[in-house]
Amino acid sequence: MSGNHMPEQPAVDRRVQRSRAALMAAAVRLVSERGTTALPVAEFTEAANVSRKLLYMHFGDRDGLLVAAAIDLVERELLPRTVEMDGDLREHVLATVRHFAEHRPFYRPMLTGPCAFAMTTKQNSLLGSLSRDTVRDVYGDLEQQTLNDLALVITSGVSAVVNDWLINADDPLDPDAMTDRLQRMASALINSRSGGGRVR
């Protein structure tokens, strides 16, 4: 190997990555179109043009594929948007809410199907770092376990409100109104910490 040339990635690895990506894309598309996660494994593998063996080998089962597809969607589409933003919390929240609203046809069945618990757990883990920063800003230095616990409480609570909105709110969803609602919740928490008055 000479200069700055990186070794070529083996063709088999690229094929596996393409197959995984095709399966996750098929999962998002089929669940969005059908409005349910209760689809046979064969539908996902046929849509992605891969074998059932590959799905089981890389995702374990259908629910494993669906949860991986949801996390992949967040990592590919949402996280890059928020990384590019400055420290404006409202813009971060609005980008997050818009992402979930845009993909409501996928997330709604995910949140009401058999993999809802696994998806919510992964979602909270993925978005928890944002909550840890907020908790640290509001409460200052905390013992690590307390910081993690408070971040989990906040992330879980916000997720519950957003998930309820995705599942039950009438169309069309209004991301700006939901962002305002979440900001009022945040203000209430911050004001209660600082001894402020009631938030209306």
Side-chain angles (χ1 to χ4, degrees):
M1 189 169 67
S2 64
N4 292 326
H5 295 291
M6 297 295 291
E8 286 220 14
Q9 191 176 23
V12 67
D13 287 351
R14 288 194 298 271
R15 280 198 305 270
V16 167
Q17 287 177 351
R18 281 195 300 269
S19 296
R20 284 176 56 88
L23 272 167
M24 290 187 289
V28 172
R29 182 173 56 77
L30 289 172
V31 169
S32 298
E33 290 172 358
R34 307 282 176 80
T36 181
T37 58
L39 300 169
V41 164
E43 290 203 37
F44 298 114
T45 56
E46 286 168 15
N49 196 27
V50 301
S51 70
R52 292 172 69 139
K53 179 181 177 184
L54 188 134
L55 184 151
Y56 291 123
M57 189 168 63
H58 289 282
F59 299 103
D61 58 17
R62 179 188 63 196
D63 288 355
L65 166 63
L66 293 172
V67 171
I71 298 307
D72 178 68
L73 188 59
V74 168
E75 289 177 337
R76 278 186 304 104
E77 293 196 11
L78 173 59
L79 295 186
R81 286 186 208 171
T82 58
V83 165
E84 293 169 2
M85 293 176 180
D86 292 331
D88 185 339
L89 183 59
R90 187 180 198 285
E91 287 304 310
H92 278 83
V93 173
L94 182 58
T96 302
V97 171
R98 280 184 177 152
H99 168 82
F100 286 105
E102 286 167 17
H103 295 287
R104 183 187 202 181
F106 173 68
Y107 288 118
R108 186 187 229 170
M110 288 292 293
L111 292 166
T112 56
C115 54
F117 177 76
M119 183 190 149
T120 303
T121 302
K122 288 279 191 183
Q123 177 186 6
N124 289 346
S125 173
L126 195 61
L127 300 175
S129 62
L130 297 174
S131 294
R132 277 191 293 277
D133 292 342
T134 302
V135 168
R136 196 177 287 111
D137 289 347
V138 172
Y139 292 93
D141 288 330
L142 293 171
E143 183 266 328
Q144 190 63 43
Q145 186 63 57
T146 303
L147 174 67
N148 292 340
D149 290 343
L150 278 173
L152 179 60
V153 167
I154 291 169
T155 304
S156 300
V158 169
S159 290
V161 172
V162 173
N163 292 349
D164 179 68
W165 175 68
L166 285 172
I167 294 166
N168 296 313
D170 294 332
D171 283 320
L173 294 178
D174 185 344
D176 287 292
M178 173 50 72
T179 300
D180 291 342
R181 183 175 161 191
L182 293 173
Q183 282 202 288
R184 287 192 299 272
M185 288 171 43
S187 293
L189 285 171
I190 291 168
N191 285 342
S192 70
R193 165 68 179 153
S194 62
R198 288 184 358 189
V199 176
R200 298 182 190 276

